[in-house]
Amino acid sequence: DAHPLLSDREKAIIARRFCLGDDAGNSTLEKVGRAMGLSKERVRQVQASALGKLRKALVPPAAGEG
């Protein structure tokens, strides 16, 4: 993939937060942040960005939009 949808950091955070892949473990923002050297607020921001990208890629635009 020349232009992956999510960055490695975004993938890791989503995987840890939602029990996906080898990093499975439905972790709190605080636990993920500690493991990755980020604040829980930064984890929340990256998670929100990643979920927005996924939503945009998976949900077709409503009639009349872009």
Side-chain angles (χ1 to χ4, degrees):
D1 229 24
H3 297 285
L5 182 62
L6 299 178
S7 70
D8 289 341
R9 178 189 285 184
E10 289 168 329
K11 289 178 193 174
I13 287 173
I14 294 299
R16 287 171 187 249
R17 290 283 290 140
F18 298 104
C19 294
L20 305 172
D22 295 334
D23 292 330
N26 199 10
S27 296
T28 64
L29 294 171
E30 188 172 356
K31 287 180 184 177
V32 173
R34 221 177 304 132
M36 298 183 73
L38 302 169
S39 69
K40 65 182 181 181
E41 176 59 19
R42 185 63 187 142
V43 172
R44 187 200 62 76
Q45 292 169 350
V46 173
Q47 175 184 303
S49 173
L51 292 175
K53 288 179 184 180
L54 291 171
R55 195 173 295 114
K56 185 176 178 182
L58 296 173
V59 178
E65 292 183 15

